[in-house]
PDB file of all heavy atoms in Angstrom:
ATOM      1  N   LEU U   1     -25.417  20.922 -15.440  1.00 98.00           N
ATOM      2  CA  LEU U   1     -26.044  22.087 -14.832  1.00 98.00           C
ATOM      3  C   LEU U   1     -25.404  22.335 -13.469  1.00 98.00           C
ATOM      4  O   LEU U   1     -25.318  21.426 -12.643  1.00 98.00           O
ATOM      5  CB  LEU U   1     -27.547  21.856 -14.676  1.00 98.00           C
ATOM      6  CG  LEU U   1     -28.390  23.043 -14.214  1.00 98.00           C
ATOM      7  CD1 LEU U   1     -28.338  24.171 -15.237  1.00 98.00           C
ATOM      8  CD2 LEU U   1     -29.839  22.608 -13.981  1.00 98.00           C
ATOM      9  N   ILE U   2     -24.964  23.575 -13.230  1.00 98.00           N
ATOM     10  CA  ILE U   2     -24.259  23.909 -11.992  1.00 98.00           C
ATOM     11  C   ILE U   2     -24.875  25.169 -11.408  1.00 98.00           C
ATOM     12  O   ILE U   2     -25.004  26.185 -12.101  1.00 98.00           O
ATOM     13  CB  ILE U   2     -22.755  24.127 -12.260  1.00 98.00           C
ATOM     14  CG1 ILE U   2     -22.140  22.859 -12.871  1.00 98.00           C
ATOM     15  CG2 ILE U   2     -22.019  24.521 -10.984  1.00 98.00           C
ATOM     16  CD1 ILE U   2     -20.730  23.061 -13.398  1.00 98.00           C
ATOM     17  N   TYR U   3     -25.253  25.107 -10.125  1.00 98.00           N
ATOM     18  CA  TYR U   3     -25.807  26.285  -9.464  1.00 98.00           C
ATOM     19  C   TYR U   3     -25.581  26.181  -7.964  1.00 98.00           C
ATOM     20  O   TYR U   3     -25.204  25.118  -7.457  1.00 98.00           O
ATOM     21  CB  TYR U   3     -27.294  26.461  -9.784  1.00 98.00           C
ATOM     22  CG  TYR U   3     -28.187  25.286  -9.451  1.00 98.00           C
ATOM     23  CD1 TYR U   3     -28.927  25.255  -8.271  1.00 98.00           C
ATOM     24  CD2 TYR U   3     -28.324  24.210 -10.334  1.00 98.00           C
ATOM     25  CE1 TYR U   3     -29.767  24.182  -7.970  1.00 98.00           C
ATOM     26  CE2 TYR U   3     -29.154  23.141 -10.044  1.00 98.00           C
ATOM     27  CZ  TYR U   3     -29.884  23.129  -8.868  1.00 98.00           C
ATOM     28  OH  TYR U   3     -30.708  22.069  -8.572  1.00 98.00           O
ATOM     29  N   GLY U   4     -25.808  27.284  -7.247  1.00 98.00           N
ATOM     30  CA  GLY U   4     -25.571  27.245  -5.808  1.00 98.00           C
ATOM     31  C   GLY U   4     -26.006  28.503  -5.095  1.00 98.00           C
ATOM     32  O   GLY U   4     -26.528  29.445  -5.702  1.00 98.00           O
ATOM     33  N   GLU U   5     -25.762  28.504  -3.793  1.00 98.00           N
ATOM     34  CA  GLU U   5     -26.161  29.616  -2.931  1.00 98.00           C
ATOM     35  C   GLU U   5     -25.048  30.673  -2.891  1.00 98.00           C
ATOM     36  O   GLU U   5     -23.947  30.376  -2.430  1.00 98.00           O
ATOM     37  CB  GLU U   5     -26.408  29.127  -1.510  1.00 98.00           C
ATOM     38  CG  GLU U   5     -27.552  28.151  -1.365  1.00 98.00           C
ATOM     39  CD  GLU U   5     -27.682  27.634   0.063  1.00 98.00           C
ATOM     40  OE1 GLU U   5     -26.655  27.235   0.653  1.00 98.00           O
ATOM     41  OE2 GLU U   5     -28.804  27.640   0.589  1.00 98.00           O
ATOM     42  N   PRO U   6     -25.318  31.896  -3.312  1.00 98.00           N
ATOM     43  CA  PRO U   6     -24.259  32.918  -3.366  1.00 98.00           C
ATOM     44  C   PRO U   6     -24.117  33.676  -2.047  1.00 98.00           C
ATOM     45  O   PRO U   6     -23.989  34.903  -2.028  1.00 98.00           O
ATOM     46  CB  PRO U   6     -24.757  33.845  -4.480  1.00 98.00           C
ATOM     47  CG  PRO U   6     -26.244  33.829  -4.316  1.00 98.00           C
ATOM     48  CD  PRO U   6     -26.587  32.402  -3.886  1.00 98.00           C
ATOM     49  N   TRP U   7     -24.151  32.966  -0.945  1.00 98.00           N
ATOM     50  CA  TRP U   7     -24.011  33.604   0.365  1.00 98.00           C
ATOM     51  C   TRP U   7     -23.283  32.669   1.311  1.00 98.00           C
ATOM     52  O   TRP U   7     -23.086  31.489   1.029  1.00 98.00           O
ATOM     53  CB  TRP U   7     -25.383  33.987   0.931  1.00 98.00           C
ATOM     54  CG  TRP U   7     -26.401  32.888   0.958  1.00 98.00           C
ATOM     55  CD1 TRP U   7     -26.461  31.831   1.799  1.00 98.00           C
ATOM     56  CD2 TRP U   7     -27.524  32.737   0.070  1.00 98.00           C
ATOM     57  NE1 TRP U   7     -27.542  31.031   1.511  1.00 98.00           N
ATOM     58  CE2 TRP U   7     -28.217  31.560   0.452  1.00 98.00           C
ATOM     59  CE3 TRP U   7     -28.006  33.497  -1.003  1.00 98.00           C
ATOM     60  CZ2 TRP U   7     -29.362  31.121  -0.199  1.00 98.00           C
ATOM     61  CZ3 TRP U   7     -29.144  33.052  -1.657  1.00 98.00           C
ATOM     62  CH2 TRP U   7     -29.809  31.892  -1.250  1.00 98.00           C
ATOM     63  N   THR U   8     -22.887  33.201   2.447  1.00 97.00           N
ATOM     64  CA  THR U   8     -22.242  32.419   3.498  1.00 97.00           C
ATOM     65  C   THR U   8     -23.221  32.255   4.650  1.00 97.00           C
ATOM     66  O   THR U   8     -24.311  32.830   4.648  1.00 97.00           O
ATOM     67  CB  THR U   8     -20.978  33.124   4.012  1.00 97.00           C
ATOM     68  OG1 THR U   8     -21.361  34.297   4.741  1.00 97.00           O
ATOM     69  CG2 THR U   8     -20.048  33.524   2.871  1.00 97.00           C
ATOM     70  N   GLY U   9     -22.804  31.475   5.656  1.00 96.00           N
ATOM     71  CA  GLY U   9     -23.616  31.325   6.855  1.00 96.00           C
ATOM     72  C   GLY U   9     -23.045  32.087   8.032  1.00 96.00           C
ATOM     73  O   GLY U   9     -23.546  31.969   9.149  1.00 96.00           O
ATOM     74  N   GLY U  10     -21.998  32.865   7.790  1.00 96.00           N
ATOM     75  CA  GLY U  10     -21.343  33.626   8.856  1.00 96.00           C
ATOM     76  C   GLY U  10     -20.165  34.387   8.290  1.00 96.00           C
ATOM     77  O   GLY U  10     -19.993  34.506   7.071  1.00 96.00           O
ATOM     78  N   ILE U  11     -19.315  34.896   9.163  1.00 97.00           N
ATOM     79  CA  ILE U  11     -18.158  35.692   8.747  1.00 97.00           C
ATOM     80  C   ILE U  11     -17.005  34.763   8.395  1.00 97.00           C
ATOM     81  O   ILE U  11     -16.629  33.893   9.172  1.00 97.00           O
ATOM     82  CB  ILE U  11     -17.736  36.669   9.863  1.00 97.00           C
ATOM     83  CG1 ILE U  11     -18.874  37.651  10.158  1.00 97.00           C
ATOM     84  CG2 ILE U  11     -16.474  37.425   9.469  1.00 97.00           C
ATOM     85  CD1 ILE U  11     -18.609  38.548  11.346  1.00 97.00           C
ATOM     86  N   THR U  12     -16.448  34.956   7.212  1.00 98.00           N
ATOM     87  CA  THR U  12     -15.383  34.096   6.722  1.00 98.00           C
ATOM     88  C   THR U  12     -14.068  34.851   6.610  1.00 98.00           C
ATOM     89  O   THR U  12     -14.063  36.081   6.427  1.00 98.00           O
ATOM     90  CB  THR U  12     -15.750  33.508   5.347  1.00 98.00           C
ATOM     91  OG1 THR U  12     -14.656  32.728   4.852  1.00 98.00           O
ATOM     92  CG2 THR U  12     -16.076  34.603   4.340  1.00 98.00           C
ATOM     93  N   THR U  13     -12.979  34.116   6.692  1.00 98.00           N
ATOM     94  CA  THR U  13     -11.659  34.717   6.474  1.00 98.00           C
ATOM     95  C   THR U  13     -11.290  34.738   4.992  1.00 98.00           C
ATOM     96  O   THR U  13     -10.250  35.298   4.627  1.00 98.00           O
ATOM     97  CB  THR U  13     -10.579  33.935   7.247  1.00 98.00           C
ATOM     98  OG1 THR U  13     -10.616  32.559   6.853  1.00 98.00           O
ATOM     99  CG2 THR U  13     -10.788  34.041   8.748  1.00 98.00           C
ATOM    100  N   LEU U  14     -12.112  34.124   4.146  1.00 98.00           N
ATOM    101  CA  LEU U  14     -11.864  34.193   2.708  1.00 98.00           C
ATOM    102  C   LEU U  14     -12.056  35.628   2.244  1.00 98.00           C
ATOM    103  O   LEU U  14     -13.106  36.229   2.506  1.00 98.00           O
ATOM    104  CB  LEU U  14     -12.825  33.265   1.962  1.00 98.00           C
ATOM    105  CG  LEU U  14     -12.672  33.189   0.442  1.00 98.00           C
ATOM    106  CD1 LEU U  14     -11.344  32.550   0.056  1.00 98.00           C
ATOM    107  CD2 LEU U  14     -13.840  32.426  -0.190  1.00 98.00           C
ATOM    108  N   PRO U  15     -11.082  36.230   1.568  1.00 97.00           N
ATOM    109  CA  PRO U  15     -11.226  37.627   1.114  1.00 97.00           C
ATOM    110  C   PRO U  15     -12.476  37.816   0.263  1.00 97.00           C
ATOM    111  O   PRO U  15     -12.853  36.931  -0.514  1.00 97.00           O
ATOM    112  CB  PRO U  15      -9.947  37.865   0.301  1.00 97.00           C
ATOM    113  CG  PRO U  15      -8.962  36.887   0.840  1.00 97.00           C
ATOM    114  CD  PRO U  15      -9.763  35.674   1.216  1.00 97.00           C
ATOM    115  N   SER U  16     -13.110  38.956   0.403  1.00 96.00           N
ATOM    116  CA  SER U  16     -14.386  39.202  -0.276  1.00 96.00           C
ATOM    117  C   SER U  16     -14.251  39.138  -1.789  1.00 96.00           C
ATOM    118  O   SER U  16     -15.205  38.777  -2.487  1.00 96.00           O
ATOM    119  CB  SER U  16     -14.950  40.561   0.141  1.00 96.00           C
ATOM    120  OG  SER U  16     -14.040  41.604  -0.180  1.00 96.00           O
ATOM    121  N   ASN U  17     -13.071  39.476  -2.316  1.00 97.00           N
ATOM    122  CA  ASN U  17     -12.899  39.432  -3.774  1.00 97.00           C
ATOM    123  C   ASN U  17     -12.686  38.009  -4.292  1.00 97.00           C
ATOM    124  O   ASN U  17     -12.543  37.793  -5.486  1.00 97.00           O
ATOM    125  CB  ASN U  17     -11.736  40.326  -4.203  1.00 97.00           C
ATOM    126  CG  ASN U  17     -10.395  39.840  -3.700  1.00 97.00           C
ATOM    127  OD1 ASN U  17     -10.328  39.101  -2.720  1.00 97.00           O
ATOM    128  ND2 ASN U  17      -9.317  40.260  -4.351  1.00 97.00           N
ATOM    129  N   LYS U  18     -12.675  37.027  -3.368  1.00 98.00           N
ATOM    130  CA  LYS U  18     -12.524  35.633  -3.773  1.00 98.00           C
ATOM    131  C   LYS U  18     -13.791  34.805  -3.528  1.00 98.00           C
ATOM    132  O   LYS U  18     -13.863  33.650  -3.938  1.00 98.00           O
ATOM    133  CB  LYS U  18     -11.349  34.994  -3.021  1.00 98.00           C
ATOM    134  CG  LYS U  18      -9.982  35.479  -3.498  1.00 98.00           C
ATOM    135  CD  LYS U  18      -9.736  35.064  -4.949  1.00 98.00           C
ATOM    136  CE  LYS U  18      -8.377  35.472  -5.443  1.00 98.00           C
ATOM    137  NZ  LYS U  18      -8.147  35.062  -6.866  1.00 98.00           N
ATOM    138  N   THR U  19     -14.773  35.371  -2.848  1.00 98.00           N
ATOM    139  CA  THR U  19     -16.003  34.621  -2.591  1.00 98.00           C
ATOM    140  C   THR U  19     -16.806  34.464  -3.874  1.00 98.00           C
ATOM    141  O   THR U  19     -16.786  35.338  -4.749  1.00 98.00           O
ATOM    142  CB  THR U  19     -16.872  35.306  -1.526  1.00 98.00           C
ATOM    143  OG1 THR U  19     -17.254  36.604  -2.000  1.00 98.00           O
ATOM    144  CG2 THR U  19     -16.132  35.445  -0.210  1.00 98.00           C
ATOM    145  N   THR U  20     -17.527  33.359  -3.977  1.00 98.00           N
ATOM    146  CA  THR U  20     -18.411  33.146  -5.123  1.00 98.00           C
ATOM    147  C   THR U  20     -19.782  33.681  -4.737  1.00 98.00           C
ATOM    148  O   THR U  20     -20.675  32.947  -4.314  1.00 98.00           O
ATOM    149  CB  THR U  20     -18.471  31.655  -5.476  1.00 98.00           C
ATOM    150  OG1 THR U  20     -17.149  31.182  -5.724  1.00 98.00           O
ATOM    151  CG2 THR U  20     -19.304  31.424  -6.723  1.00 98.00           C
ATOM    152  N   SER U  21     -19.920  34.989  -4.876  1.00 97.00           N
ATOM    153  CA  SER U  21     -21.127  35.675  -4.436  1.00 97.00           C
ATOM    154  C   SER U  21     -21.857  36.271  -5.636  1.00 97.00           C
ATOM    155  O   SER U  21     -21.430  36.116  -6.781  1.00 97.00           O
ATOM    156  CB  SER U  21     -20.778  36.756  -3.412  1.00 97.00           C
ATOM    157  OG  SER U  21     -19.705  37.547  -3.866  1.00 97.00           O
ATOM    158  N   ARG U  22     -22.942  36.950  -5.351  1.00 96.00           N
ATOM    159  CA  ARG U  22     -23.790  37.479  -6.419  1.00 96.00           C
ATOM    160  C   ARG U  22     -22.980  38.383  -7.359  1.00 96.00           C
ATOM    161  O   ARG U  22     -22.297  39.294  -6.926  1.00 96.00           O
ATOM    162  CB  ARG U  22     -24.943  38.267  -5.817  1.00 96.00           C
ATOM    163  CG  ARG U  22     -25.905  38.800  -6.861  1.00 96.00           C
ATOM    164  CD  ARG U  22     -26.978  39.655  -6.253  1.00 96.00           C
ATOM    165  NE  ARG U  22     -27.716  38.967  -5.211  1.00 96.00           N
ATOM    166  CZ  ARG U  22     -28.774  39.478  -4.592  1.00 96.00           C
ATOM    167  NH1 ARG U  22     -29.196  40.686  -4.912  1.00 96.00           N
ATOM    168  NH2 ARG U  22     -29.397  38.807  -3.666  1.00 96.00           N
ATOM    169  N   GLY U  23     -23.073  38.126  -8.634  1.00 96.00           N
ATOM    170  CA  GLY U  23     -22.355  38.894  -9.640  1.00 96.00           C
ATOM    171  C   GLY U  23     -21.117  38.190 -10.147  1.00 96.00           C
ATOM    172  O   GLY U  23     -20.725  38.375 -11.304  1.00 96.00           O
ATOM    173  N   THR U  24     -20.491  37.369  -9.296  1.00 96.00           N
ATOM    174  CA  THR U  24     -19.277  36.684  -9.743  1.00 96.00           C
ATOM    175  C   THR U  24     -19.580  35.566 -10.729  1.00 96.00           C
ATOM    176  O   THR U  24     -18.692  35.073 -11.414  1.00 96.00           O
ATOM    177  CB  THR U  24     -18.500  36.089  -8.545  1.00 96.00           C
ATOM    178  OG1 THR U  24     -19.331  35.143  -7.862  1.00 96.00           O
ATOM    179  CG2 THR U  24     -18.072  37.168  -7.573  1.00 96.00           C
ATOM    180  N   GLN U  25     -20.852  35.158 -10.796  1.00 97.00           N
ATOM    181  CA  GLN U  25     -21.230  34.087 -11.720  1.00 97.00           C
ATOM    182  C   GLN U  25     -21.317  34.584 -13.161  1.00 97.00           C
ATOM    183  O   GLN U  25     -21.409  33.768 -14.080  1.00 97.00           O
ATOM    184  CB  GLN U  25     -22.578  33.496 -11.313  1.00 97.00           C
ATOM    185  CG  GLN U  25     -23.821  34.182 -11.872  1.00 97.00           C
ATOM    186  CD  GLN U  25     -23.989  35.634 -11.471  1.00 97.00           C
ATOM    187  OE1 GLN U  25     -23.682  35.995 -10.347  1.00 97.00           O
ATOM    188  NE2 GLN U  25     -24.464  36.472 -12.371  1.00 97.00           N
ATOM    189  N   SER U  26     -21.266  35.886 -13.376  1.00 97.00           N
ATOM    190  CA  SER U  26     -21.503  36.450 -14.700  1.00 97.00           C
ATOM    191  C   SER U  26     -20.547  35.856 -15.731  1.00 97.00           C
ATOM    192  O   SER U  26     -19.328  35.937 -15.599  1.00 97.00           O
ATOM    193  CB  SER U  26     -21.330  37.977 -14.654  1.00 97.00           C
ATOM    194  OG  SER U  26     -21.581  38.537 -15.928  1.00 97.00           O
ATOM    195  N   ARG U  27     -21.145  35.225 -16.745  1.00 97.00           N
ATOM    196  CA  ARG U  27     -20.407  34.623 -17.858  1.00 97.00           C
ATOM    197  C   ARG U  27     -19.438  33.529 -17.415  1.00 97.00           C
ATOM    198  O   ARG U  27     -18.480  33.222 -18.115  1.00 97.00           O
ATOM    199  CB  ARG U  27     -19.661  35.697 -18.665  1.00 97.00           C
ATOM    200  CG  ARG U  27     -20.586  36.719 -19.320  1.00 97.00           C
ATOM    201  CD  ARG U  27     -19.820  37.775 -20.104  1.00 97.00           C
ATOM    202  NE  ARG U  27     -20.734  38.630 -20.841  1.00 97.00           N
ATOM    203  CZ  ARG U  27     -21.347  39.697 -20.331  1.00 97.00           C
ATOM    204  NH1 ARG U  27     -21.138  40.030 -19.060  1.00 97.00           N
ATOM    205  NH2 ARG U  27     -22.177  40.417 -21.068  1.00 97.00           N
TER     206      ARG U  27
END
């Protein structure tokens, strides 16, 4: 079982299209 928080704690230099955020978990 794998799960996590789909948010950051501040502004990141990781491009937004690479973050594991809401919706990216789909399938």
